[in-house]
C-alpha cells in the first residue's frame, strides 16, 4: 500500500531539540604543548614523518595529534588549522 508523506502538522518528540552550537571560531580552543609543537613544525613545512624523527616518536603518534587538532578547529586540513592557530595567537 502506498503511504503519503504529507506533513501532518503534529510535532515530533525530536522537534526543537537540535540547537546549533557556537562555531569553532568563536570558542576558546585549547591546544596541548605537544599539539602546539607539531603545528609549529608543520608551519615550518615539515611532514608527519619529519616531525616524528625530530621529536623522536612514531609517525602514527604525530598523525593522532593532528587528527585531534583538526577536530578541535573543525577543519579538514592541518594547514588550515595552522592558519587559524596563528590568527588566534595560539602558535
Amino acid at each position: 500500500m502506498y503511504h503519503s508523506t504529507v506533513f501532518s502538522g503534529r510535532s515530533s518528540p525530536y522537534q526543537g531539540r537540535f540547537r546549533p552550537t557556537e562555531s569553532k571560531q568563536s570558542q576558546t580552543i585549547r591546544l596541548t604543548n605537544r599539539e602546539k609543537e607539531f603545528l609549529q613544525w608543520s608551519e615550518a613545512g615539515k611532514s608527519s614523518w619529519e616531525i616524528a624523527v625530530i621529536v623522536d616518536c612514531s609517525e602514527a603518534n604525530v598523525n593522532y595529534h593532528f587528527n585531534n587538532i583538526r577536530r578541535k578547529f573543525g577543519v579538514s586540513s592541518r594547514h588550515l588549522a595552522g592558519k587559524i592557530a596563528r590568527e588566534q595567537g595560539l602558535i
Side-chain angles (χ1 to χ4, degrees), residues 44-87:
K46 303 297 181 188
S47 68
S48 292
W49 180 82
E50 292 170 320
I51 295 169
V53 170
I54 292 167
V55 300
D56 193 31
C57 69
S58 71
E59 187 176 0
N61 186 267
V62 173
N63 290 329
Y64 170 81
H65 286 289
F66 276 120
N67 285 335
N68 287 339
I69 292 166
R70 286 194 305 268
R71 181 185 46 79
K72 287 179 181 182
F73 284 105
V75 297
S76 60
S77 77
R78 70 174 67 178
H79 302 292
L80 186 53
K83 179 183 175 199
I84 295 169
R86 274 193 322 275
E87 290 172 356

